[in-house]
């Protein structure tokens, strides 16, 4: 479920919109590689603007609504939430694990099914119309969304899949994926982030079976819409659905953040849920909004083919939860390929506590070192230990980047890349050079290598 649109921040900086002249590189996915490129149409020679963009195996014709940038398209298919040991994957797996164990169906199988591979390219109808979002609603603006054309876009929320999944016959599901909104890039905002959608529908029997003397209670009536209910819902039904929703989410947050967590609910407005709320949690003395939720609009449920049921929906941001839980200070770190970041989340089980260790803010200095190996047995670990001994904590990383065998002498040469970075200040090339030279001399003296310095 989308977060409040009225709180969305509109990007104020300039971006280069996708044009028919821009060639988009191939885009990898977690399960396969799919290309993204412009393909000339039959009339391309006379009408260049009719060129099409191929994304995830489908072609889309740009028009006056197209505003997707090459930078944004390069993010499509990354699927960080499916990358094992990524912090977003850990959060997703924690939520899945909780729902699988906490909510069991009649046959002993998990009540909630999970969909984390749905395409981020959706129709405008899926993203807005199916959710009953009015044509003139501010959330539809080009300034806030990434459109491929007037009919297709990169989803702005995982709610774009609500109607389709309900229409397929599902009563309880979680949908996870990357979502795209035009926004500023800072430590808490990024134009691509990840959401988890949750939906649960109840029949009359499911909702009232545990209520004493509940046989005469009904889901629907011909009433009036108020701040507390929709006109077609009975107050009893809404109160039970609202209670169940808040109970489910409170249990989830407590399970993730621990017992004693303080939770409060704030009334808000979503176009496709009513009544609707935001959950705020008190974490380390600060109240933070973590998700939005509400009783689903019955018109949406009816149009999807579940006319005899009432339900709730919620949406949470995976980055938001991960930043709070792991104390990650910058949302851009989730896109980092720096092993210093990623390796912190390689843990034996998903519930292991992790305290993120900040990366150095200071720039690295990189120097290579090559030498011929001695004829005797040589171990890379010997060199690693030597380098760390000489360079101390100023050495951040040592990696073998090249190995060469001379075809005539059969001698073997190694080239190592040493990354120097001080955790508290900027290193100068002069002081790094002195350390690097000391490592070279020690390697010749102690390991018997022949320098190619």
């Amino acid at each position: 479920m989308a977060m409040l649109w009225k709180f969305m921040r509109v990007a104020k900086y300039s971006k280069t919109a996708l044009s028919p002249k821009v060639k988009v590189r191939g885009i990898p996915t977690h399960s396969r590689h799919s290309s993204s490129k412009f393909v000339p149409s039959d009339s391309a020679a006379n009408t260049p603007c009719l060129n099409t963009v191929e994304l995830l195996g489908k072609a889309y014709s740009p028009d006056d609504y197209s505003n997707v940038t090459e930078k944004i398209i390069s993010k499509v298919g990354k699927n960080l939430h499916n990358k094992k040991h990524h912090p977003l994957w850990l959060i997703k797996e924690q939520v899945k694990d909780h729902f699988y164990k906490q909510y069991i169906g009649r046959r002993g199988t998990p009540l909630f099914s999970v969909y984390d591979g749905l395409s981020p390219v959706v129709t405008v109808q899926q993203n807005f119309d199916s959710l009953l979002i009015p044509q003139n609603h501010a959330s539809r603006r080009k300034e806030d969304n990434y459109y491929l054309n007037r009919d297709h876009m990169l989803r702005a929320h995982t709610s774009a899949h609500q109607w389709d999944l309900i229409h397929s016959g599902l009563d309880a599901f979680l949908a996870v994926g990357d979502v795209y909104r035009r926004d500023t890039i800072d430590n808490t905002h990024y134009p691509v982030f990840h959401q988890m959608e949750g939906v649960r529908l109840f029949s009359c029997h499911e909702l009232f079976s545990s209520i004493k003397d509940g046989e005469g209670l009904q889901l629907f009536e011909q009433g009036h819409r108020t701040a507390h209910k929709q006109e077609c819902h009975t107050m009893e039904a809404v109160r039970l659905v609202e209670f169940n929703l808040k109970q489910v989410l409170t249990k989830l947050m407590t399970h993730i953040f621990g017992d004693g967590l303080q939770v409060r609910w704030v009334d808000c407005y979503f176009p496709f849920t009513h009544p609707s709320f935001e959950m705020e949690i008190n974490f380390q003395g600060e109240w933070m909004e973590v998700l939005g939720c509400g009783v689903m609009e019955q018109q949406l449920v009816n149009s999807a083919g579940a006319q005899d049921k009432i339900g709730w929906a919620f949406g949470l941001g995976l980055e938001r939860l991960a930043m709070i839980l792991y104390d990650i200070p910058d949302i851009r770190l989730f896109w980092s390929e720096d092993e210093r970041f990623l390796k912190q989340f390689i843990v034996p089980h998903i519930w292991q506590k992790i305290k993120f260790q900040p990366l150095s803010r200071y720039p690295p200095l990189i120097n290579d070192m090559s030498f011929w190996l001695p004829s005797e047995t040589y171990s890379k670990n010997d060199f690693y230990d030597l380098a760390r001994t000489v360079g101390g904590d100023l050495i951040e990383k040592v990696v073998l980047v090249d190995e060469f065998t001379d075809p005539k002498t059969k001698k073997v040469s190694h080239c190592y890349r040493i990354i120097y970075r001080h955790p508290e200040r900027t290193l100068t090339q002069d002081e790094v050079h002195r350390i690097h030279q000391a490592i070279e001399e020690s390697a010749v003296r102690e390991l018997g290598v022949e320098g190619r310095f």
Side-chain angles (χ1 to χ4, degrees), residues 68-123:
V68 180
T69 65
E70 182 177 0
K71 180 70 172 178
I72 293 300
I73 283 192
S74 71
K75 304 290 186 182
V76 178
K78 295 292 187 182
N79 297 318
L80 299 183
H81 60 288
N82 288 330
K83 185 177 180 181
K84 193 171 183 179
H85 296 302
H86 191 279
L88 298 180
W89 176 85
L90 288 175
I91 288 290
K92 181 195 74 170
E93 292 300 311
Q94 288 182 23
V95 177
K96 280 174 54 179
D97 183 66
H98 173 76
F99 272 86
Y100 280 173
K101 293 177 179 177
Q102 188 75 28
Y103 307 101
I104 306 299
R106 289 192 298 263
R107 299 180 180 179
T109 56
L111 179 65
F112 284 81
S113 51
V114 178
Y115 300 86
D116 57 10
L118 300 171
S119 174
V121 180
V122 298
T123 64

Side-chain angles (χ1 to χ4, degrees), residues 22 71-72 92 107 252 256 317 416 436 439 445 453:
V22 178
K71 180 70 172 178
I72 293 300
K92 181 195 74 170
R107 299 180 180 179
L252 172 63
I256 291 176
Y416 292 89
H436 199 72
I439 295 173
R445 182 176 61 251
F453 314 137

Side-chain angles (χ1 to χ4, degrees), residues 63 164 185-186 210 245 263 278 292 388 398 419 450:
D63 56 26
D164 293 321
I185 301 176
D186 56 27
S210 61
L245 170 61
V263 173
E278 285 183 336
R388 292 185 177 112
V398 180
I419 301 175
E450 181 184 341

Side-chain angles (χ1 to χ4, degrees), residues 262-409:
Q262 291 180 283
V263 173
R264 69 183 183 190
W265 299 92
V266 180
D267 293 344
C268 63
Y269 168 74
F270 297 111
F272 42 92
T273 57
H274 178 75
S276 44
F277 318 91
E278 285 183 336
M279 173 191 266
E280 295 182 350
I281 65 172
N282 192 309
F283 192 75
Q284 297 180 348
E286 180 181 355
W287 285 100
M288 303 178 180
E289 181 263 316
V290 293
L291 58 84
C293 61
V295 179
M296 296 188 70
E297 282 289 336
Q298 196 60 37
Q299 184 181 343
L300 189 163
V301 176
N302 291 346
S303 68
Q307 296 90 338
D308 58 342
K309 297 180 179 179
I310 183 175
W312 51 247
F314 72 80
L316 57 85
L318 298 185
E319 278 90 347
R320 184 60 169 159
L321 292 185
M323 291 179 78
I324 297 173
L325 182 62
Y326 302 133
D327 199 21
I328 298 174
D330 195 323
I331 195 171
R332 289 168 290 185
L333 285 169
F334 291 104
W335 295 92
S336 173
E337 296 182 357
D338 192 325
E339 121 179 350
R340 294 175 303 142
F341 173 76
L342 297 175
K343 70 180 181 182
Q344 296 187 43
F345 302 93
I346 301 176
V347 290
H349 59 85
I350 60 175
W351 293 104
Q352 180 166 319
K353 292 187 180 298
I354 301 171
K355 175 68 173 179
F356 172 69
Q357 299 301 315
L359 309 183
S360 173
R361 296 174 300 162
Y362 299 95
L365 288 176
I366 302 173
N367 286 264
D368 290 348
M369 183 181 300
S370 298
F371 46 74
W372 296 106
L373 304 188
S375 57
E376 300 84 59
T377 301
Y378 170 85
S379 171
K380 290 183 292 184
N381 287 338
D382 289 339
F383 177 72
Y384 296 154
D385 289 340
L386 181 146
R388 292 185 177 112
T389 298
V390 176
D393 291 338
L394 296 185
I395 293 184
E396 180 178 280
K397 186 176 183 180
V398 180
V399 59
L400 176 65
V401 294
D402 185 56
E403 184 172 353
F404 167 74
T405 300
D406 188 288
K408 295 182 178 180
T409 65

